[in-house]
Amino acid sequence: MAKISWKPGNMIYPLPAVMVTVGDGKGNDNIITVAWTGTVCTNPPMAYISVRPERYSYNLIKETKEFVINLTTKDLCFATDYCGVKSGRDVDKFKETGLHKEKAKEVSVPLIAECPVNIECRVREEREYGSHTMFIADVVNVNVDDKYMDETNKFNLQASGLMAYSHGEYYDLNNKLGSFGYSVKKNGKK
């Protein structure tokens, strides 16, 4: 087997395909699909999203310094894709996808009610890097859908049917391969 060398590019896959809600604080809300997102820090809890300046949502984030990262599921795949290819300049994505707004606890932009997890963020820092600006944010609140709480009161996010984005395609993540630390457990079981 031989490796083929390609020009430099981002090949870190799979990625979360999340719907990010933004707004202007006056009721004009939008959804943008983002794959450039992730954890910055655990303590304090911080996350980031990277957005191109020409995107409609870009200026909304710059103005309000707030956004919500809404995790997506296989049932939300169509809406997730739609919100990534249509512009909020042209359509009301909540109306067109049938998604419902829910009031956030700490930020002025709405949550997406259908998403199993909504991560409320307040921008701490902006970094311009070529084609994208990275919005580094403090996580100020996390909302989870109580229907994924199991009988031991543990949040079972896997039951929600999470999905990911990989090299232009969406995939669900329903098959468990192991859990953290299983490779060093005495019996080696998943």
Side-chain angles (χ1 to χ4, degrees):
M1 177 168 75
K3 298 285 184 177
I4 300 170
S5 183
W6 285 0
K7 69 177 182 166
N10 293 323
M11 291 291 291
I12 302 169
Y13 291 115
L15 298 164
V18 300
M19 290 188 283
V20 175
T21 43
V22 299
D24 64 2
K26 300 171 191 156
N28 297 310
D29 303 312
N30 191 44
I31 306 167
I32 182 173
T33 299
V34 172
W36 308 141
T37 185
T39 299
V40 173
C41 188
T42 301
N43 191 10
M46 295 172 64
Y48 78 90
I49 60 172
S50 291
V51 180
R52 288 180 179 268
E54 59 268 19
R55 300 289 188 233
Y56 174 69
S57 295
Y58 179 85
N59 287 324
L60 297 174
I61 298 167
K62 284 190 75 70
E63 290 171 16
T64 65
K65 306 285 190 224
E66 297 179 334
F67 58 87
V68 177
I69 299 171
N70 301 274
L71 299 190
T72 57
T73 65
K74 63 182 179 181
D75 292 339
L76 296 169
C77 189
F78 183 88
T80 302
D81 185 66
Y82 184 90
C83 291
V85 296
K86 290 291 189 175
S87 174
R89 286 183 189 95
D90 304 323
V91 297
D92 178 339
K93 295 180 191 178
F94 280 99
K95 180 181 175 189
E96 294 299 316
T97 60
L99 295 173
H100 298 91
K101 297 178 188 181
E102 196 169 286
K103 186 168 176 43
K105 304 278 190 276
E106 298 293 329
V107 297
S108 62
V109 299
L111 316 174
I112 298 175
E114 290 80 4
C115 293
V117 176
N118 319 93
I119 304 165
E120 299 179 40
C121 299
R122 194 164 287 126
V123 176
R124 173 190 282 220
E125 185 179 343
E126 298 172 27
R127 295 279 183 113
E128 294 180 16
Y129 293 115
S131 63
H132 288 69
T133 296
M134 178 183 281
F135 294 97
I136 301 167
D138 292 306
V139 174
V140 295
N141 192 52
V142 176
N143 305 275
V144 299
D145 191 329
D146 65 2
K147 76 179 177 184
Y148 299 110
M149 300 301 290
D150 69 15
E151 62 281 349
T152 65
N153 209 29
K154 179 182 175 191
F155 184 59
N156 185 3
L157 183 56
Q158 292 71 23
S160 70
L162 290 175
M163 69 171 204
Y165 177 80
S166 184
H167 205 73
E169 298 176 325
Y170 302 100
Y171 295 91
D172 71 21
L173 300 175
N174 285 332
N175 297 314
K176 180 179 173 182
L177 302 176
S179 57
F180 181 76
Y182 84 96
S183 65
V184 295
K185 288 184 179 174
K186 288 186 181 183
N187 61 11
K189 293 184 179 177
K190 297 179 187 178

